[in-house]
Amino acid sequence: MAEMKTAAYICSGCGLGDKLDVPQLAKIAQKEGKMALVREHDFLCNAEGVQMIRDDIEKEAVTHICIAACSRRAKTEAFNFPSVAMTRANLREGVIWVVSEGADHDEVRQEMADDYVRMGCAELKKAKMPEGNPNHTHLKNLMVVGGGVSGMTAAFEAAETGYEVILVEKQAQLGGWADKLWKRVPFKAPYAEPQDTGIAELAAKVSSHPLIKVCLNTTVAETSGAPGRFAIKLAQESGAITEVSAGAIVQATGFTTYDIAKLPELGGGLENVVDHAGLEVLARAANGGAIKRTDGREIKSVVFLQCAGQRDDTGQHLPYCSGHCCATSIKQAIYFKDANPEVSTVVVYDDLRVPGMGEDFYRSAQHKGVIFAKGKASKVETAGTGCRVNYRDLILDADSILDADLVVLATGQVPSSGVNVVEWDRLTKEADGGSVEAKQQKSELKNISILNLTYRQGPDVPKLKYGFADSHFICFPYETQRTGIYTAGPVRRPMDILQATEDATGAALKAIQAAENASLGRAAHPRAGDLSYPIVRLEGCTQCKRCTVECPFGAIDEDEKRFPVFNEQRCRRCGTCMGACPVRVISFENYSVDTVGNQIKAIEIPDEFSEKPRILVLACENDAYPALDMAGLSRIVYSAFVRIIPVRCLGSVNTIWITDALNSGYDGVMMMGCKKGDEYQCHFVKGSELAGYRMSKIGDTLTGMGLEPERVSTFEVAITDNAKVAGFINDYVAQLVEMGPSPMKGFN
Amino acid sequence: MAKKNYAFYPGCSSQKGASASNFVPSIGVMCDKLDIQLNEIPDWNCCSASIGYGEGGQLSRLVLNARNLALVEQNMPGQDLVSGCPACWLATRETAEKLSEVDSLMADTNEALKEAGLNFKGTVKARHLVEVLIEDVGFDAMKAPVVKPLEGMKIAGYVGCQTNRPFGIAGESFENPQYLDKMIETVGAEAATGYEQKITCCGGALAFSEPEKSQKQIRDIVESAYDHGADMIVTPCQLCQANVEIYQSEINKKKGTKLAMPVVYYSQLMTVAYGGNAKQAGLDGNILRPQKLLDIATK
Amino acid sequence: MTASIATSQTILVVGGGISGMTAALEAAECGKQVILVERNATLGGRTALLYRYFPKMCHPTCGMEINLRRIKANRNVRVMTMTEVLDVKGLRGDYTVKLRLSPRYVNSNCTACGECAKAVDAEIDNPYEYNLAKTRAAYLPHNMAYPMHYVLDPSIIGTPDADKAKAACKYDAIELDMQEEIVEIKAGAIVWATGWKPYDAARIQPYGYDRFANVITSVEFERLASPHGPTGGKLLRPSDGKEAKNIAFIQCAGSRDENHLRHCSRICCMASLKQTHYVREAYGDSAKSTIYYIDIRVIDRLEDFYLQVQQDPTVGFIKSKVAKIVEDKESNLVLHGVDTEGYHRYATTHDLVVLAVGMEPETNGIKLPDDILLDSSGFIEGSNLPAGTEGIYGAGASSSPLDVNRSVQSATAAALRAIQVVHKTSTVEGVR
Amino acid sequence: MSELNQKAVAKYQNNFLKEVEERVEDGEWVSMCMQCGVCAGSCPLGPHWEHSPQKIFRMIMAGKRDEVLTSDSVWMCTSCYSCIVRCPRKLPITHIMHGIAHYAHRLGVAPKGQPTRELASVFWKNLVKTGRVNELKFSLAVYFKDGFSQGIKNLLGMQGIALGLVKAKRLNPMEIIGGHKCKDVGGIQKMLAKAKEIEDRRQGYTS
């Protein structure tokens, strides 16, 4: 590696030169920051300024640069020097745009800028160019678990892209639920008629694809490894085990239908009451002719009851809506009408939910004479040779009855998503504590596992809600907490065939991408492309297990000696492990306890008589830092006593930074992160929650130091809070001024 | 300039001594000034109006209207059928459209028409006189003959239902049509903007059978015109004109109100603006004297 | 015309909203070369103008920050804003695309310092506020704009204002003689992600959007709720700036209506349910939201959100398509209609009416490649070409009325289909 | 119960929707209603009737035959077309209302004494007789529909209006003797008879 040569570039454009003493900043970079090269420029981001930096990199062999100009979020196209380590001292959005105008504020403004230059230089000295994880992987094939529509689609689309696929299906044939349908809901204009499922054709294409290996009657007995190097044991029905490997995994294990036996009040269990799946059996048997009951009687009247055992707020049944059932009932009612228009078909619904072009399908059914009755069924009983449906007609506001030869209950989808890892974690703790019962339950639970991951954090992908293994994020629906494993189809969210097809295609891309990135040693979303990776000095490790427990992505296993084993390809580079580590042995090349710690220590702390408090702000780089930036952009003023450091995630904040800051004489610390709780917004799952937890424990330390606990505070800051965040700062500064200077001042 | 020819369907209300008969001369003056030649359809019959459905079936009503269309097709080739009465226009246009859409109805209609010695091929367009003014004449040409601008008058443009829905004037909104206000301005008067009863139904179809309900509608329409400071109401609908005008005294009697809002048909306004006298404008036919208009007409 | 700037291995993504950004990034993060073109001056599309997302009530700009960071970090994506597709010729694997680059009058020297905006006097309706507010004619679209460059509105070019802007810029960033450019590029596959536009509410005449100041659309309400919006996040009604505490939300404003949009726009029920939160957030127990609906269409887990709103005593539900709106003398709005559950006639007065306007595909009104197949509402259904020979794929709300989550799924799927094309083309050509 | 009605009941048994679809003008549209209620809120006579159009449609689908055919509400249509232009499913509601009223009248089950029903009969008779409607005869017939003394009362009540119209030459008392008529009244009458015959055949009243 080339010898480290540092340079600082100080811009005087955008008013920096008018508002700040730039030569003084240069002097600081040189004298205090110890930069080998310091240059000023009046327009650093223009072609000439950029060329100057490039020339230094080429001709002066500069390896580390500190740009003292605008925010790290600005002018990224200009300041793009991939071959060197870079830090940015934010003098524009962070200083001149947020400090009050006027000569009265010249002094504090300059002090703030001075400190940011000091911090930029200090960080630079500890930063390294990420070299990338040397443990490259080479597997780029996929394993797809589940041979229904979603699984077959994922496999086929990946194979069509040129990637090999192992498709694992526990049944003896491909097809899944969709293969049992007589027809499917239309997915093309004019959206009027049920269409062929096309499943047989898809299954044939999948089976004959040269890049797809189909394993029927097969389950996954064990999955270990990481993206780019998953090692999988497949179990045949016979018990034989085959070992295969894959670069990434798509889990498309679908759903089961809600058991109608749980709905006796709606006739579940009666002879002439079926669910959608039951009706498909009858429709297939009829083969386009008159649909008959199992007793052979031709059905002349049928009633569909929507939301059967769904949208339930009593806690007995499914609380959610399965989304497809209205269209499915419409489709099945059309089966009857198409075979014989004289058949009476009534759909009893509460809200008819056919979004998008489904409205045309609804119209088509109405046109064919299907009757839709807004109502709530209370009871289905046997009457005569059929059933009687008692319901409240909500339009006529009257109790009503319908007699029918057959009643179809529109029940919901229950995901086949394997083990609930939260439950698993609880049982593990109890079992480790010696509970025999928990141990027993755990082994039973393992029977339903789909992937049988050997991960410390449980054998399956974590569930979001109601057993669905969905992403928590609106913008990033493919996020799972297990890198390189993507769920697709109804296992992640109740859905119809059309959506499952789209979903599976997208999941195939994500799996391919994960394998490709792993092979290049790069991170997956949301720090896609990041070459830094956690480096651990195991010799210092005390086996406290905090990193393995707290890693939100299950990236860290434990070896037999209880040392952490980092699976870098599973890591998302959030730094939660670094924040967790009490002995500070975990770091990233460009983000470490030192890169931040050095910045904290670099600033000049005025003495206790100066009436100039200093507050450290550790701000989440995704939400709080942009909010602070935008406060600048909007010229919202906040106190010049804060010194802000962006962090990858509040979860990466190591308490040493806090204690170091307070020891150095800072008067307070503000931690700014995103929303916690069920609707958390942390893209690393629980960073702000962990930070909150860790800070709640820091109270004793503070008391020990003779400090008020209020000197460390956490704040929830959303990206839109640019005005609010300034308020937080100003209020907190006022609170600290009230409290008086830190007694730690002057002890250094 | 050559006059443009149209097959005119006056309708029952425009017959001599009927409720809309006083508009006939003003329509004549207006059309004359605008180079419109209206040729009465020979032996036209009733359209069956809004009330014919009770006794007459769908086909009977279609056939009645088809007869008029067939008369035009046979006797006045190339001419559009034009009516000043919205009910006549609506029934005829609905018939023309329905027959062109449904072949079986066309066949059935012709089977019945045969009894009257007629046949309809579907080539005639049914239009409202206002449509002709706006689409064939245009606002500029409508303005040209104005010799007595109706200055100082504020008029509430009451469009009503059937000239407006379901067909209306092309490009106009069902809820807030603008053309009548524009016509008011074209003749130099001020339109009462924001007149929110512009498209409220006057209940004309039920004037006889449900007088209370119909008169409630009329009261709202008239009172809102007062609220907007209007001197009079103008309407493109002959039925609305009659209904809104003649029942005001009845409402006053029952409700103790003092409604006396003149209501005129648009051709009356235009006739006065075009220099016609009170008689030509048929102002003597108004029960509630449109004094300001009369003043201008007699000036 | 300038030279080609891409190859048949390039994936062209049309539209820089969340779907287009996603398609571009997902392909680029698989190692593909991508050109992302956007008609507006910034990426972000319509989601950047939303205050919060349902059901998490998180901020769209949060995800946008991540996506922008991905774009800034990825050298495979080239972003072209103010660029429209004029014409697409060729076939799968070998398209020639004609692009029109409109002049921004500001070059990449711009540091977003804002001096030009201070210098000009002219104001224009701000399209990024749905014209609810004015902005100077030299402006930054919004705080999250990318590229973070100002724009000069063409209306000031040739006026003294333009010269003032130029004089104010210390960085030679303003180029008043910048011209429209037409360029041709090559692409192997195209992802069409032009998104949606709110249905023209003025056409729903009974609701008087064009007549009553206090009838606004759901997208405009997002701007009112946004702390970055024209009211600083206060729910103030347009006519008099009065606090709007009693708000009506009218569903299916344009959607499910053969006079307007045939389809159900899917997102509007959830959008209104979400917006009731804004009202509650602003006014607590004195808030009053009323949702007028035909069917509440919130599928899957979103049902939770519906249930939660139903339990909010400040929110009422009336099953009714509102027949008409009348404005009273205080500019309040009186809604007339019938609650069809049992038949109850109402005439209710509200401070503000929010029309949950439907999603009209932006494809209605822009020139599309010939082989794109549209459905009856104008959404991209697929291709006119035989299966396996197509190379243009609809993504996101250009393909169906989708929420953000599903748009991103759709865009990810479209990205894979595009990759398949360039992979197969390169295999045939022996490049790979 | 009238014979026609009995036959209809027998023919359609409990399938009232089918009966409406086959026999009521534009009845095939009824099943397209999605119960949004915009028609109910748009009707100017809304505050006066018991059953809104959308509710009538639901009643038809729910087989409430008697309630629908005897409903007073279907006779309250002013033909203002507000419902039609606002209906998101483009149902020709005005026509369906007219059609139901006509059908109920035809079967003889429409409400007795319903004023619009009576008026409509008088109107049609007036029309068929001459091919055109004579406003005076029509009005007199309406006023005297409930008998002579009520007719006089009605007439006295309206005399102000009538006198006004006479004065304005918009109501001609001489019309009572002669008045307008079409030349080809015979042809028109034959034509209407034929139309009824065809329609009856189509709607299965006759075979």
Side-chain angles (χ1 to χ4, degrees), chain D residues 57-127:
Chain D
F57 300 152
R58 175 68 201 123
M59 287 161 70
I60 292 171
M61 290 187 261
K64 309 267 179 209
R65 187 175 188 276
D66 292 348
E67 291 93 321
V68 170
L69 294 179
T70 59
S71 174
D72 188 38
S73 307
V74 294
W75 291 95
M76 290 198 197
C77 175
T78 67
S79 303
C80 77
Y81 290 78
S82 293
C83 50
I84 284 201
V85 299
R86 289 181 188 156
C87 176
R89 285 293 179 82
K90 290 199 164 171
L91 269 72
I93 299 167
T94 309
H95 299 256
I96 304 171
M97 289 296 118
H98 291 174
I100 295 168
H102 172 79
Y103 185 56
H105 176 68
R106 180 85 202 271
L107 296 185
V109 295
K112 291 251 165 350
Q114 210 297 331
T116 306
R117 179 188 180 189
E118 309 242 336
L119 175 80
S121 295
V122 173
F123 177 90
W124 190 257
K125 273 180 207 136
N126 212 298
L127 188 164

Side-chain angles (χ1 to χ4, degrees), chain A residues 288-345:
Chain A
I291 301 172
K292 293 175 182 156
R293 297 196 310 214
T294 44
D295 62 7
R297 189 188 165 97
E298 188 176 328
I299 298 162
K300 293 282 178 56
S301 53
V302 58
V303 173
F304 294 84
L305 300 181
Q306 297 310 105
C307 308
Q310 304 193 66
R311 301 179 63 190
D312 175 74
D313 56 4
T314 66
Q316 292 177 340
H317 305 297
L318 306 178
Y320 51 87
C321 158
S322 291
H324 75 92
C325 335
C326 284
T328 299
S329 290
I330 288 171
K331 176 192 74 172
Q332 295 188 342
I334 290 178
Y335 290 169
F336 286 98
K337 284 289 182 189
D338 283 354
N340 176 7
E342 298 295 314
V343 175
S344 156
T345 51

